[in-house]
Amino acid sequence: MNKNKTMPAAAHTENSTDTALLDVKDLKTYFLTDAGIVKAVDGVSFTLHEGETLGLVGESGSGKSVTNLSIMRLIPSPPGKIVGGEIVFEGQDILKLPEKELRKIRGNKVSMIFQDPMTSLNPFLKISTQMVETIMLHNKDVSKKEALERSIEMLKLVGIPSAEKRIFSYPHQFSGGMRQRVMIAMALSCNAKVLIADEPTTALDVTIQAQILELIKDLSVKLKTAVIIITHDLGVVAGMCDKVCVMYAGRIVEKADTDDLYASPSHPYTEGLIMSVPRMDVAHKNDRLFSIEGQPPNVIDLPPCCPFHPRCHKDMEVCRHAYPPTVGVGSGHEVSCWLYVDEAQRNLALEKALADEQHAAADAVQTNARKEAAK
Amino acid sequence: MSDATAMKERQPLLVVKDLKQHFPIDAGLVFKKQVGAIRAVDGISFSVNAGETLGIVGESGCGKSTSIRSIAQLYKPTSGSIVFNGTELTTASEKDLLLARRDIQMIFQDPYASLDPRMTVRSIISEPLVIYNKRGLLDKPMSAIDIETRVEELMERVGLNKAFKNRYPHEFSGGQRQRIGIARALALSPKIILADEPVSALDVSIQAQILNLLTDLQKEMGLTYLFIAHDLAVIEYISTRVAVMYLGKIVELSKAEDLYMKPMHPYTRALLSAAPIPDPKVERTRQRIILSGDVPSPDKERTGCYFYDRCPNKMPWCSCHIPPMFKISEGHECACWLYDSTDHAGQSMEEAEADALASLRAKETAGSDIGAERK
C-alpha cells in the first residue's frame, strides 16, 4: 500500500509526454428546451496527458457530467446538442467522426464508469456475458474463450476474490463496492487510454470509497491510464488528482495543479468552496462555517455577466455586466475572474458592456415601437 | 454552547437502554413463518443531555436511521427502553405518546421526498400546529391568525421569504426545501430534533448554510440534536459527543474532540483514516487503514465481536466473546477487547472457545434460555 503513496503528481509528470492525449477546446453543449436554451457547458477547455489524473469539481448542475458525456458523445439529442468546440483524441476530432468510427473509441480507448453501479450493469445478464460482450465487440479476432480468460484476469486485477467462480454471478449477487470494481474491470478490459469516472464513489461508504479510490490510483499507475474524475467532494480530489478544474454554471472558473489550488485558491468561488467544507483534522472550536450565500444560478438564458456575482463576496460593478476573461496567475494556474484583470482593462470592459447594453435596450425599444406602429 | 443551554439541568433528556430493533424475515406463501431476523439495531444504549448534540456516525446499513426511527416510535422496538423527559415511550399510551412527540421532531435526508408535493409551504409548516391544535394538545389554543403569524415567523427564522408561503415544494431548490423541513420541525417548539442525514443530499456550499442555520437555532432555542450523518467531518463540526455504530451496535462513544484526536476502536480508526481530507498535503502524508471486505449481513445472531471479520487487530478471543463497553477515560467508552484489563492477545482459539462454552453452560444452568436460541 505504501508504494501507492508515492504521489501521482511526481510520478505522472515524468510519464506524461508533451502531446496531449485528449484535448478539449471550447466545448459547448446546449439543451434546447421549451423554457429556453440551457447552456449546460459553455466553452470548456482542458487537456489530459497520458497517465495523468484530472479532477472536475463543481456543484450539481455545473456541467461536470455533461462535459464528459459530450466527450463520449452520449448526449441525448434532441434536446441536447454539441454546438461548438473540438474534442481531439489521439489526433482525431471525436465530434467529427461518424458513428461507426466513434464506436471504435467509445468503450474501447475511452471508457466510463458511473455513479451508481447497480443501474449501469444489466441485472438480467451474468457478469461473464457482459464482460465478454464488451471485449469481443472491440476486438474482432478474440475468441470467446480468450475473452473470458481476459475478463477473469481483469476481475483478479481489481481484487475480486475467487474471480473464476464469481464471474458467473449476476450483478445483484455483488455488494455495492464489488459492483463498482466489476465496472472498473469492464471499463479497463480493452486497455482504455482514458477512464472517465463520473462520481465513482458517491454511492459508496467511506471505507469502501477508500478501497475504490486506492484501486483507481493503483491501476492508473500500473496501466498508464489517464483518469478524469468528476466529483463534488474536495477531499477525493485532494487525494487523487494532479490537476483540478473547478466548474460553475457551465464554465471552468479555475484550473490549477492540485497543490496550487488548495494552497492559493484564486477564484472567490473556489475559495468559498474550500472554506465551507468542515474539516476534521483542524480544531474549529465553535467557528461558524464560511458559507457561500444564495443558490446556484438557473442556467437558462444566463445574462452575459459573471454567473457567480450574486453570491460573490468580492463582486464589483464590472462583474454584473461582463464575463471575465481567463487570466494566468502562476504556472498552469488559470482563473476567470475580474479580480485578476488590471483596472484599466476592467474599466474598458465595463464601458463596452454598458454601451452594448444601451444599444440592446435601444434596439428593443425600436422594435417594440415598430410593432406598435404596425398594429 | 451558549450560556442558556449550559444553565439547564445536567439531567439527560433522552435515555436509551439496550434498544433492539429486529425486522422479521418471513418465508412461505400461505402460511407465513418467520425464518430469521434482520438485526438492524442490536442492543444500543446511550443518553442525550439537554442542549447537546449527539452525533451518530457509521456506514450504510449500520442501523443509524433505524435507531432514530425506533426512538421516535415510528417502528415498535423489539426490546429495550426509551425514556424521554421521564416518559417511557415504548409502553406509553397513545395520548402520552402524542404529548411526548410534540417535543420530538424529525428532519429527513431527502428534501424532495419528505415534503408532500401537493401541499403549499404554508400547509406543510402549519400541519403539526393544526393537528395538535385540533386535539387540544397545545399549551394554549391557537386561532387561525395565530397559526398564520407563527408560520411567517418560522419561515423568516429559517431564512425563507414569507411571501413564498403559497408556493409548492417543487418551486424551491434542495437547500430551500431543507429549510422548509426545518421550519416544520420547529413549529411545535420541540425539545429534541432527530436529524436523519439532513445535509447529505445537499451541495457543499448549501450544506454549510444549513449547518450554520442548525447551530444558530440550537444556540437560540436551546435545542438538543440527535444528528445522523455518514460524513465524519460534518459530525465532528456539529457534535458535542459522537457515537460510532457498526452493524447495529455502538462500538465507540465519546466526546467529539477525544474521538477525533484519540480514536480507540479499530473500526473508528479505519473510518477516520478512510475519510478524505480536502488538503493535498495532508492526504499525501497520512497513513490509511484500508479495511478488507464489506459489512456482513446483519441477519444472523453473533456470538463474538461484530467487527471480527474485518478487524485488523482481531484475536482468537474476539471470535466468541461479545465485547462490553470498556471505559477508556471520562466520557469515552469503547467496545473492544483490546481495552480489557486482562490481556487476551496470548490466548489461543481453543482456550477462547473453551471459555466461551463454559460461560454459556454457566448461563444455561442458571436457567436462561440463551442456549436454545443459539441452536
Side-chain angles (χ1 to χ4, degrees):
Chain A
M1 198 181 72
N2 270 335
K3 245 186 246 166
N4 309 338
K5 279 276 169 312
T6 51
M7 195 50 198
H12 282 181
T13 2
E14 286 163 30
N15 292 342
S16 62
T17 43
D18 283 314
T19 51
L21 183 63
L22 182 74
D23 195 358
V24 178
K25 283 182 209 153
D26 202 29
L27 178 72
K28 288 182 179 169
T29 307
Y30 294 173
F31 288 84
L32 311 170
T33 65
D34 293 342
I37 299 172
V38 179
K39 296 181 179 174
V41 175
D42 198 13
V44 162
S45 314
F46 60 84
T47 51
L48 185 71
H49 298 276
E50 191 176 294
E52 197 176 50
T53 308
L54 175 81
L56 275 185
V57 197
E59 295 180 278
S60 33
S62 62
K64 317 177 292 269
S65 294
V66 175
T67 304
N68 289 284
L69 288 173
S70 306
I71 295 174
M72 302 285 276
R73 269 182 51 192
L74 287 172
I75 295 290
S77 174
K81 195 159 192 267
I82 301 173
V83 295
E86 275 177 47
I87 299 170
V88 182
F89 174 73
E90 291 186 327
Q92 282 174 302
D93 187 355
I94 291 185
L95 297 180
K96 294 205 180 80
L97 287 179
E99 185 67 24
K100 207 175 161 194
E101 291 291 309
L102 181 69
R103 294 188 108 192
K104 287 185 188 158
I105 295 177
R106 184 164 61 199
N108 189 16
K109 286 180 180 158
V110 183
S111 246
M112 196 158 183
I113 49 176
F114 298 90
Q115 177 175 355
D116 186 353
M118 190 66 226
T119 49
S120 36
L121 288 167
N122 187 334
F124 289 108
L125 300 178
K126 286 177 187 159
I127 298 298
S128 57
T129 323
Q130 302 189 43
M131 288 193 76
V132 166
E133 185 192 17
T134 315
I135 296 175
M136 288 183 67
L137 193 74
H138 292 297
N139 304 291
K140 293 280 182 287
D141 49 344
V142 173
S143 76
K144 204 168 177 182
K145 196 161 158 257
E146 282 167 343
L148 192 66
E149 272 165 19
R150 171 124 185 92
S151 311
I152 292 172
E153 197 184 303
M154 286 311 297
L155 289 183
K156 277 186 185 156
L157 190 67
V158 297
I160 289 189
S162 56
E164 295 87 349
K165 276 186 215 149
R166 294 291 276 166
I167 194 165
F168 297 110
S169 315
Y170 288 92
H172 74 265
Q173 291 167 303
F174 288 91
S175 65
M178 282 293 161
R179 260 180 241 144
Q180 199 59 290
R181 281 169 196 264
V182 171
M183 283 301 297
I184 294 171
M186 206 186 279
L188 296 178
S189 62
C190 297
N191 296 322
K193 291 264 172 62
V194 179
L195 177 69
I196 300 174
D198 191 350
E199 307 253 7
T201 56
T202 313
L204 305 175
D205 279 315
V206 187
T207 56
I208 310 295
Q209 164 171 305
Q211 291 174 8
I212 297 291
L213 292 180
E214 204 68 31
L215 176 72
I216 295 179
K217 211 192 276 182
D218 202 15
L219 290 179
S220 77
V221 174
K222 228 187 258 173
L223 308 174
K224 290 200 182 125
T225 315
V227 184
I228 300 179
I229 291 193
I230 307 176
T231 180
H232 64 269
D233 190 332
L234 290 162
V236 169
V237 175
M240 291 286 294
C241 302
D242 306 326
K243 278 201 283 181
V244 187
C245 297
V246 182
M247 289 192 71
Y248 190 79
R251 305 197 196 208
I252 292 178
V253 294
E254 188 163 4
K255 198 187 310 183
D257 289 342
T258 311
D259 283 29
D260 211 14
L261 186 87
Y262 283 82
S264 56
S266 299
H267 198 283
Y269 176 63
T270 320
E271 204 184 341
L273 212 54
I274 291 174
M275 282 199 291
S276 63
V277 189
R279 286 184 55 170
M280 57 184 205
D281 59 328
V282 193
H284 55 79
K285 286 290 149 260
N286 296 333
D287 296 351
R288 274 177 71 86
L289 279 176
F290 178 87
S291 75
I292 306 173
E293 294 306 325
Q295 313 288 334
N298 187 349
V299 285
I300 297 177
D301 298 326
L302 267 183
C305 60
C306 176
F308 186 61
H309 83 84
R311 305 176 74 191
C312 187
H313 55 287
K314 291 175 182 167
D315 83 315
M316 298 174 287
E317 183 62 25
V318 63
C319 306
R320 280 165 234 150
H321 299 284
Y323 193 82
T326 305
V327 212
V329 288
S331 67
H333 193 155
E334 289 172 8
V335 58
S336 297
C337 181
W338 284 114
L339 282 176
Y340 302 93
V341 178
D342 62 67
E343 210 174 335
Q345 266 182 320
R346 229 161 38 202
N347 290 337
L348 212 66
L350 180 61
E351 276 168 30
K352 191 172 171 290
L354 286 176
D356 284 353
E357 274 169 39
Q358 269 170 3
H359 273 300
D363 283 351
V365 171
Q366 268 182 6
T367 29
N368 274 349
R370 231 174 279 146
K371 269 184 200 162
E372 290 289 315
K375 269 181 196 169
Chain B
M1 209 82 346
S2 77
D3 294 335
T5 48
M7 293 277 280
K8 286 204 169 172
E9 66 266 67
R10 279 266 154 249
Q11 188 193 347
L13 183 66
L14 175 74
V15 182
V16 176
K17 253 200 206 115
D18 205 29
L19 176 70
K20 287 188 182 174
Q21 182 72 58
H22 296 178
F23 296 106
I25 307 170
D26 292 335
L29 275 175
V30 184
F31 301 103
K32 287 253 190 302
K33 208 174 82 185
Q34 191 182 337
V35 292
I38 297 285
R39 291 153 196 275
V41 176
D42 209 11
I44 59 168
S45 309
F46 60 85
S47 60
V48 188
N49 298 324
E52 76 168 355
T53 303
L54 178 72
I56 302 182
V57 67
E59 295 178 274
S60 46
C62 73
K64 312 181 290 276
S65 297
T66 309
S67 337
I68 71 161
R69 280 163 189 244
S70 308
I71 290 167
Q73 299 294 302
L74 296 178
Y75 300 136
K76 202 84 208 140
T78 312
S79 68
S81 101
I82 301 159
V83 180
F84 174 75
N85 216 5
T87 321
E88 169 65 58
L89 296 183
T90 48
T91 52
S93 67
E94 202 174 320
K95 174 111 193 287
D96 289 343
L97 203 55
L98 261 172
L99 270 174
R101 274 193 186 140
R102 196 179 68 189
D103 292 332
I104 308 176
Q105 291 291 321
M106 284 183 82
I107 305 171
F108 298 92
Q109 171 173 6
D110 186 351
Y112 291 82
S114 59
L115 303 176
D116 188 333
R118 290 194 269 185
M119 284 165 83
T120 58
V121 173
R122 177 207 277 115
S123 44
I124 288 170
I125 299 176
S126 65
E127 195 180 19
L129 291 168
V130 171
I131 291 172
Y132 274 79
N133 196 27
K134 213 184 269 171
R135 299 202 181 199
L137 291 170
L138 291 176
D139 290 337
K140 59 170 191 259
M142 289 174 98
S143 67
I145 296 164
D146 290 344
I147 290 180
E148 195 70 23
T149 37
R150 175 84 178 133
V151 168
E152 285 179 5
E153 191 184 295
L154 284 165
M155 284 183 76
E156 288 204 327
R157 184 60 208 87
V158 299
L160 288 168
N161 188 340
K162 65 181 176 192
F164 293 165
K165 64 184 173 189
N166 288 323
R167 296 199 179 180
Y168 289 91
H170 73 88
E171 296 174 73
F172 294 90
S173 68
Q176 286 173 316
R177 282 175 202 223
Q178 203 57 293
R179 288 176 196 267
I180 300 174
I182 294 171
R184 173 176 63 183
L186 292 173
L188 291 167
S189 317
K191 289 202 173 67
I192 189 167
I193 287 188
L194 312 177
D196 188 355
E197 305 242 18
V199 294
S200 29
L202 307 176
D203 272 319
V204 184
S205 65
I206 311 295
Q207 176 176 309
Q209 292 175 6
I210 298 293
L211 285 176
N212 280 336
L213 174 66
L214 287 172
T215 39
D216 289 349
L217 289 171
Q218 180 168 46
K219 279 182 192 157
E220 234 168 77
M221 310 181 182
L223 287 170
T224 307
Y225 290 137
L226 191 57
F227 194 99
I228 292 184
H230 62 266
D231 187 331
L232 288 146
V234 168
I235 284 284
E236 202 264 336
Y237 175 74
I238 199 148
S239 308
T240 329
R241 290 192 302 140
V242 179
V244 182
M245 281 188 79
Y246 183 78
L247 213 60
K249 278 266 191 209
I250 290 181
V251 295
E252 192 162 356
L253 182 65
S254 121
K255 278 193 221 108
E257 305 93 77
D258 282 2
L259 187 86
Y260 286 81
M261 296 299 286
K262 293 193 295 273
M264 300 309 270
H265 198 280
Y267 177 65
T268 317
R269 285 186 188 155
L271 201 62
L272 288 178
S273 83
I277 287 176
D279 187 338
K281 292 205 182 76
V282 180
E283 274 291 298
R284 217 168 305 154
T285 48
R286 71 206 198 110
Q287 201 66 42
R288 199 161 262 172
I289 308 166
I290 303 258
L291 289 178
S292 57
D294 289 310
V295 184
S297 165
D299 62 354
K300 60 170 186 242
E301 182 167 5
R302 281 166 198 277
T303 51
C305 177
Y306 284 49
F307 187 52
Y308 181 75
D309 305 325
R310 296 175 80 194
C311 185
N313 310 79
K314 63 184 165 198
M315 304 176 284
W317 181 265
C318 310
S319 73
C320 42
H321 296 82
I322 297 177
M325 292 297 267
F326 293 107
K327 194 169 175 183
I328 309 279
S329 60
E330 188 54 45
H332 193 159
E333 291 172 75
C334 171
C336 179
W337 285 113
L338 287 175
Y339 306 105
D340 194 7
S341 47
T342 49
D343 187 16
H344 298 289
Q347 279 154 326
S348 70
M349 191 58 111
E350 288 78 28
E351 279 171 340
E353 272 171 3
D355 181 84
L357 212 62
S359 57
L360 195 66
R361 292 247 167 77
K363 265 188 200 159
E364 250 171 33
T365 45
S368 94
D369 55 354
I370 298 167
E373 267 183 29
R374 291 233 167 141
K375 275 168 205 161

